């Protein structure tokens, strides 16, 4: 199944495979999912939440041979990654919320990932233990020490099988390098370094070295009153280890080459689309702020998400995106209300499918959107337990922007803005997708007849 | 050129957006995790747009109605209570959300204007230093720290013009110096 050719989006029939999380309408703040990430094979799916916890799900291997069950994921490991802290000097609480998780490409039996909150990045090792030593000379099986006088012979302890135990241990803690709130981490293709970005600065780290990092971007003005933009996301190029991009609150993306100089304040490319003057409003600046930037797997394109749209950029063309997809254009006339209820500040993420032919992003009312780049086709789907039975193909949804509402359409004013899908992930090799509603995880698979 | 009605509508909307923005700015100070720079920046950009549009639409509607008394000149930054009384006849009262706390609150620790005479608390001798919040004559809300923000090496405190710190309830929201939002960091 892995490596299967993915058909055109229009041919795809998505079925709900699993819905994980509490059934309550009452959401515990700490359980709110704040980040979602597949590992490089898609076998593991990591989620981080506001309470600082990481839950890793593993794909059931036995099921991979049966296509209809291939997207069954079960809990593999749960651990507390970050705890709330207090910065006494600034009288500020540091939230334990996990902002980002990024997997390190696997080198041995253990899995490694980076997780970060606002201030501190941690390298976690997740390893399996399925054997334990038995037959100690000085200890009983339960651990109690034997009376040495009772030891009359010696034996060599042997490893015997035990129930699988998955252990997560923090191997490195990268702290005290960020004055502002960390929004991104990205592992370099050299598998040795990674970057971390906050509102004004980007630092380069070596995975083995925790007491030092290099500052490679600094956009802090000498006088903070002159501040006009902040860094919103950053990512390394998937193949060129000298190249990274960072997006800004002004809707621009800068690409930097680390070979050019130690401090990459001068970009090598700047991607920016001029604003459409007819769309100018009080909120033009907020809605042009980029909330996510992701390179395509091929490394030829990158995708950006702003409040209303998804844009695909060809790295060879800085003047405008090659494709623009409207996620929920019907919200443009509602920006004032969305400002009042704070929804306009929501940071939506976006993702590519394995072969870069499709992209996906979330919206409100637990809707999410998929765009097929090759066939100019798009769909709105809903993550809902009530409206989907397992293994049943889910129906596309449609929002009625105005005028007469057709049957099965939902009007803009009926949308539930508390139900938002900010995080989505696409399996790197298969047509399996995961979307996170406030505190539930929905896994869908393409039926693939 | 806008009609008088639509200039008034735009004006009222600009005022409402300013009021909403101030209450968000105020609320963000109590957020867990501290003030978010990105959010504060976006709020200040909206407030700046709203303030500019408020001013230009005030001028528009003034230009249309030449017969109105001179007391209804658009407010400038040195407005006195008298001006406000005049303007309120022509336009609906701005709906300021909790203007009193927003106005009275001295916006410490990022406002250096009122504390130019207060010494750098960080370097007081141990005997005088106290981790307790000090009482202030102008009621600072309980949850705000009384220490000033720590400066980074190379930063300087900039003296603010005295007029811009206080926003009295009656004054135009436009008096707010929007640049004050950012130096918190």
């Amino acid at each position: 199944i892995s490596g299967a050719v993915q058909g055109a989006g229009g041919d795809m029939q998505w079925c709900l495979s699993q819905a994980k999380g509490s059934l309550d309408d009452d959401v515990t703040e700490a359980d709110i999912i704040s980040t979602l990430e597949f590992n490089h094979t898609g076998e593991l799916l990591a989620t981080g939440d506001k309470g600082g916890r990481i839950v890793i799900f593993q794909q059931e291997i036995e099921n991979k041979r049966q296509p209809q069950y291939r997207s069954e994921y079960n809990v593999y490991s749960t651990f507390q990654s970050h705890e709330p802290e207090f910065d006494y000097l600034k009288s500020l609480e540091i939230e334990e919320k996990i902002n980002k998780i990024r997997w390190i490409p696997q080198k041995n039996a253990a899995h490694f990932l980076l997780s970060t909150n606002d201030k501190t990045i941690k390298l976690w090792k997740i390893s399996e233990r399925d054997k334990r030593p038995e037959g100690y000379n000085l200890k009983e099986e339960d651990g109690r020490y034997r009376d040495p006088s009772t030891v009359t012979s010696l034996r060599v302890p042997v490893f015997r099988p035990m129930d699988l135990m998955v252990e997560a241990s923090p191997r490195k803690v990268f702290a005290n390098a960020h004055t502002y709130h960390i929004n991104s981490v990205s592992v370099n293709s050299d598998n040795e370094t990674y970057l971390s970005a906050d509102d004004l600065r980007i630092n380069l780290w070596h995975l083995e070295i925790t007491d030092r990092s290099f500052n490679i971007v600094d956009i802090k003005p000498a006088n903070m009153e002159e501040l006009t933009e902040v860094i919103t996301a950053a990512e390394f190029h998937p193949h060129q280890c000298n190249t990274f991009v960072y997006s800004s609150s002004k809707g621009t993306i800068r690409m930097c080459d680390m070979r050019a100089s130690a401090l990459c304040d001068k970009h090598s490319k700047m991607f920016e689309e001029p604003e459409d003057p007819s769309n100018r409003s009080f909120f033009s600046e907020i809605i042009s702020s980029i909330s996510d930037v992701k390179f395509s797997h091929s490394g030829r394109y990158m995708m950006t998400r702003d409040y209303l749209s998804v844009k695909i950029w060809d790295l060879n063309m800085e003047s405008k995106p090659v494709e623009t997809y409207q996620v929920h254009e019907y919200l443009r006339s509602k920006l004032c209300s969305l400002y009042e209820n704070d929804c306009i500040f929501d940071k939506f993420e976006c993702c590519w499918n394995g072969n870069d032919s499709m992209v996906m992003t979330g919206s409100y009312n637990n809707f999410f959107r998929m765009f097929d780049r090759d066939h100019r086709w798009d769909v709105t789907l809903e993550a809902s337990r009530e409206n989907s039975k397992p293994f049943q193909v889910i129906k596309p949804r449609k929002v009625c922007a105005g005028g007469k509402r057709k049957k099965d359409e939902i009007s803009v004013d009926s949308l539930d803005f508390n139900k938002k899908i900010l995080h989505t992930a696409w399996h790197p090799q298969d047509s399996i997708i995961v979307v996170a509603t406030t505190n539930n995880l929905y896994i869908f698979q393409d039926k693939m007849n | 050129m806008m009609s008088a009605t639509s200039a008034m509508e735009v004006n009222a909307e600009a005022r409402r957006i300013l009021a909403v923005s101030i209450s968000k700015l105020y609320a963000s100070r109590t957020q867990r995790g501290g003030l978010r720079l990105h959010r504060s920046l976006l709020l200040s950009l909206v407030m700046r747009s709203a303030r500019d549009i408020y001013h230009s639409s005030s001028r528009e509607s003034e230009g249309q109605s030449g017969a109105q008394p001179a007391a209804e000149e658009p407010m400038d930054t040195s407005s006195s209570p008298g001006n406000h009384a005049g303007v309120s006849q022509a336009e609906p009262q701005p709906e300021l959300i909790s203007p009193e706390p927003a106005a009275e609150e001295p916006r410490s620790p990022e406002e250096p204007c009122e504390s130019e005479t207060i010494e750098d608390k960080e370097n007081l001798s141990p005997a005088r230093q106290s981790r307790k919040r000090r009482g202030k004559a102008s009621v600072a809300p309980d949850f705000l720290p009384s220490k000033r923000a720590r400066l980074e090496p190379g930063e300087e405190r900039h003296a603010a013009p005295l007029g811009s710190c206080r926003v009295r309830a009656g004054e135009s929201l436009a008096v707010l110096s929007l640049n004050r939002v950012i130096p918190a960091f």
Side-chain angles (χ1 to χ4, degrees), chain A residues 202-213:
Chain A
I202 302 179
N203 293 331
L204 181 71
W205 302 83
H206 191 284
L207 284 165
E208 303 283 332
I209 299 171
T210 58
D211 61 355
R212 224 172 318 161
S213 74

Side-chain angles (χ1 to χ4, degrees), chain A residues 289-339:
Chain A
S289 176
I290 292 174
S291 51
D292 194 15
V293 67
K294 291 257 168 53
F295 278 105
S296 63
H297 293 94
S298 64
R300 270 203 60 195
Y301 298 97
M302 65 179 174
M303 165 168 54
T304 57
R305 175 70 156 101
D306 52 67
Y307 191 64
L308 296 178
S309 68
V310 160
K311 294 180 182 175
I312 312 282
W313 304 79
D314 183 323
L315 297 188
N316 297 315
M317 187 162 79
E318 298 165 62
S319 54
K320 60 183 167 80
V322 290
E323 294 148 45
T324 301
Y325 300 105
Q326 301 303 336
V327 181
H328 37 217
E329 181 69 10
Y330 46 78
L331 296 182
R332 194 180 287 275
S333 54
K334 312 276 178 194
L335 293 178
C336 196
S337 316
L338 293 165
Y339 179 67

Side-chain angles (χ1 to χ4, degrees), chain B residues 54-55 73-80 83-84 87 171-172 174-175:
Chain B
Y54 174 74
H55 274 319
E73 282 293 308
M75 293 183 240
D76 58 32
T77 54
S78 56
S79 63
S80 64
N83 268 358
H84 170 73
V87 170
E171 277 188 307
S172 167
V175 169

Side-chain angles (χ1 to χ4, degrees), chain A residues 14-84:
Chain A
W14 293 98
C15 307
L16 175 63
S17 163
Q18 290 174 293
K20 298 182 177 302
S22 106
L23 291 163
D24 283 336
D25 272 345
D26 208 12
V27 177
T28 317
E29 177 92 3
D31 292 338
I32 294 174
I33 293 166
S34 52
T35 187
L36 194 56
E37 185 82 355
F38 272 109
N39 76 339
H40 295 83
T41 61
E43 186 205 346
L44 299 177
L45 174 70
T47 64
D49 65 25
K50 271 192 162 185
R53 218 172 47 139
I54 291 182
V55 180
I56 300 179
F57 298 89
Q58 184 187 42
Q59 196 175 17
E60 283 305 317
I61 311 288
E62 295 96 63
N63 289 342
K64 273 174 106 173
R65 303 198 183 286
Q66 297 169 279
Q68 67 272 32
Y69 299 119
R70 70 195 192 279
S71 62
E72 183 181 334
Y73 280 80
N74 295 318
V75 177
Y76 179 67
S77 173
T78 303
F79 57 96
Q80 189 72 31
S81 171
H82 287 71
E83 299 274 5

Side-chain angles (χ1 to χ4, degrees), chain A residues 83-107:
Chain A
E83 299 274 5
E85 286 172 59
F86 197 78
D87 178 340
Y88 293 99
L89 224 37
K90 294 183 181 171
S91 288
L92 280 182
E93 193 176 3
I94 299 169
E95 277 190 283
E96 65 278 28
K97 171 168 78 87
I98 309 296
N99 292 336
K100 281 288 179 329
I101 292 173
R102 289 289 182 261
W103 291 91
I104 315 285
Q106 197 175 6
K107 281 191 252 197

Side-chain angles (χ1 to χ4, degrees), chain B residues 152-182:
Chain B
E152 294 204 297
E155 266 192 319
E156 285 180 328
R157 291 199 191 279
H158 298 278
L162 286 171
S164 68
C165 291
R166 301 267 187 274
V167 179
R168 279 168 281 280
E171 277 188 307
S172 167
L173 299 162
V175 169
L176 274 183
S177 171
L178 296 171
N179 293 333
R180 291 282 124 209
V181 172
I182 303 301

